Amino acid sequence: MKLPHHPSTTIFSFIFIFIFIFLLPSSISSQTCQRSCGKLPLKFPFGSDLGCGDPRFHQHVSCSQGNLMLTMHTGSYPVTNIDYINQVMYISDPSMSTCSCTQPSKGFGLDWDAPFSFQDDNIFALLDCSTSSSPIFQSNTLYTDKNNNSKVSLCDNQGTSICSFLYSCRAISTINLPISTCCVYTPVDLGPAFEMDLQKLQCSSYSGFYSFNERQSDPNSWKYGIALKYKFSVDNEYPSSCANCERSYGICGYFSGGAYSSFLCNCPNGINTTNDCYFGANYNYGSRLSSWQIGTYLAILLLGLPIDFSLVDFEIS
């Protein structure tokens, strides 16, 4: 028996096939947030793009052309590694002097609102400082030494050996500087401004490292760079919503609306949800047709059967 032909069915068939072929694939795209930036794995609170990770970190840490970068008011710095267990980010400063290269630098500082602090293992050595006019050697009326002198150095007295090792490096030794121009800087977190302004300190460069690599007398083996601690929140607890999202193979992100940001879970199929990526989740941008629904409707259309589209609950965005 020949099935009756409905003109409305033909029209809806063309419309549905057009949506299926041209519009639906663009609405269900691949996962927006990436799991890595170059060779570095990305996990919360860091993200690859806008809307990924924690919004407090995005303005300071971003992925650009496969390179994860930390940006502060003093410049942009490549991220070399992230220890997610101990919550430490390691960066390098291209202007920093090391045992293999010495060069002028403006210093390093953290933005006042940056969610980072300096790890205790950091050691900063200021190089080629003016012993006559640098404020690190200037008098301080608030403190006096045992001889009642008010000139108190901001350098660590135990850092002399570190300066000796650094100044023995071939790149630094060619400058032929006296050890007295080197200062292992001791202010906690670089002072209240988290700033190491070499111009104000009247030092031409600095060197920083976070590990002797078990070879303290060999500066060529030291791990040069800066180690920064980060926290998830005031109590430093991992967000439960993010943990649930990651268990369902999602990536934690956010939707920014005005002054506030709401949590989003970015799923492998490109859909954002408010909790996790398991079926039945609350979708943020409307529900989509599942693969079996699409197949069913397409088969019906090809057979020429009528469909009541008022019963089809989907949204193309």
Side-chain angles (χ1 to χ4, degrees):
M1 181 180 69
K2 186 177 181 181
L3 294 173
H5 180 72
H6 298 275
S8 61
T9 302
T10 303
I11 295 174
F12 276 116
S13 297
F14 282 114
I15 295 175
F16 190 84
I17 291 174
F18 175 82
I19 292 174
F20 175 74
I21 295 176
F22 296 103
L23 298 183
L24 196 59
S26 62
S27 67
I28 305 180
S29 58
S30 59
Q31 198 161 23
T32 303
C33 300
Q34 303 303 310
R35 299 183 183 276
S36 63
C37 179
K39 296 181 179 180
L40 289 178
L42 288 179
K43 299 180 182 180
F44 187 84
F46 307 109
S48 60
D49 301 281
L50 184 65
C52 305
D54 187 320
R56 297 180 305 126
F57 288 82
H58 177 75
Q59 60 177 323
H60 300 290
V61 182
S62 59
C63 183
S64 176
Q65 299 180 341
N67 297 309
L68 196 62
M69 304 294 294
L70 173 76
T71 300
M72 295 290 158
H73 65 280
T74 52
S76 295
Y77 309 91
V79 178
T80 57
N81 193 23
I82 302 177
D83 182 347
Y84 288 102
I85 296 177
N86 296 306
Q87 298 172 223
V88 181
M89 169 184 282
Y90 298 94
I91 67 169
S92 63
D93 182 357
S95 70
M96 178 189 295
S97 292
T98 65
C99 217
S100 59
C101 176
T102 181
Q103 55 190 329
S105 173
K106 294 181 179 179
F108 177 82
L110 291 174
D111 291 352
W112 68 271
D113 59 344
F116 296 97
S117 61
F118 292 97
Q119 191 190 35
D120 293 338
D121 293 338
N122 283 304
I123 295 178
F124 295 104
L126 309 185
L127 309 177
D128 191 19
C129 303
S130 172
T131 56
S132 60
S133 57
S134 173
I136 60 177
F137 300 123
Q138 289 301 293
S139 59
N140 189 327
T141 56
L142 296 179
Y143 302 97
T144 57
D145 59 20
K146 61 181 181 179
N147 296 320
N148 240 9
N149 295 319
S150 61
K151 188 173 184 179
V152 178
S153 172
L154 296 178
C155 306
D156 186 352
N157 293 328
Q158 305 300 319
T160 305
S161 61
I162 294 176
C163 287
S164 298
F165 291 136
L166 277 173
Y167 275 37
S168 68
C169 295
R170 182 174 182 180
I172 300 178
S173 63
T174 55
I175 307 177
N176 196 26
L177 296 171
I179 298 297
S180 59
T181 62
C182 173
C183 167
V184 174
Y185 205 38
T186 57
V188 178
D189 281 347
L190 304 186
F194 306 101
E195 185 90 23
M196 181 170 50
D197 189 332
L198 295 187
Q199 185 174 3
K200 290 182 179 180
L201 296 174
Q202 296 188 30
C203 304
S204 66
S205 185
Y206 83 103
S207 183
F209 53 95
Y210 50 84
S211 173
F212 290 114
N213 203 21
E214 299 182 353
R215 301 177 67 179
Q216 184 169 349
S217 60
D218 182 10
N220 289 285
S221 302
W222 297 351
K223 293 184 178 181
Y224 293 93
I226 302 173
L228 300 174
K229 289 281 292 182
Y230 63 87
K231 296 175 66 175
F232 301 116
S233 59
V234 175
D235 55 12
N236 200 28
E237 290 187 1
Y238 201 79
S240 59
S241 56
C242 185
N244 294 333
C245 172
E246 292 176 335
R247 276 194 291 268
S248 64
Y249 304 102
I251 298 178
C252 305
Y254 62 93
F255 174 75
S256 181
Y260 300 96
S261 298
S262 57
F263 172 80
L264 286 181
C265 182
N266 185 234
C267 300
N269 57 7
I271 297 175
N272 290 329
T273 79
T274 57
N275 42 37
D276 55 48
C277 298
Y278 294 123
F279 292 113
N282 298 321
Y283 293 114
N284 180 258
Y285 293 120
S287 58
R288 266 82 166 181
L289 291 173
S290 63
S291 58
W292 70 266
Q293 286 177 309
I294 294 173
T296 301
Y297 293 137
L298 187 59
I300 292 175
L301 288 173
L302 293 176
L303 291 174
L305 299 176
I307 296 178
D308 186 356
F309 279 87
S310 65
L311 300 178
V312 180
D313 181 20
F314 71 93
E315 178 183 345
I316 303 298
S317 60

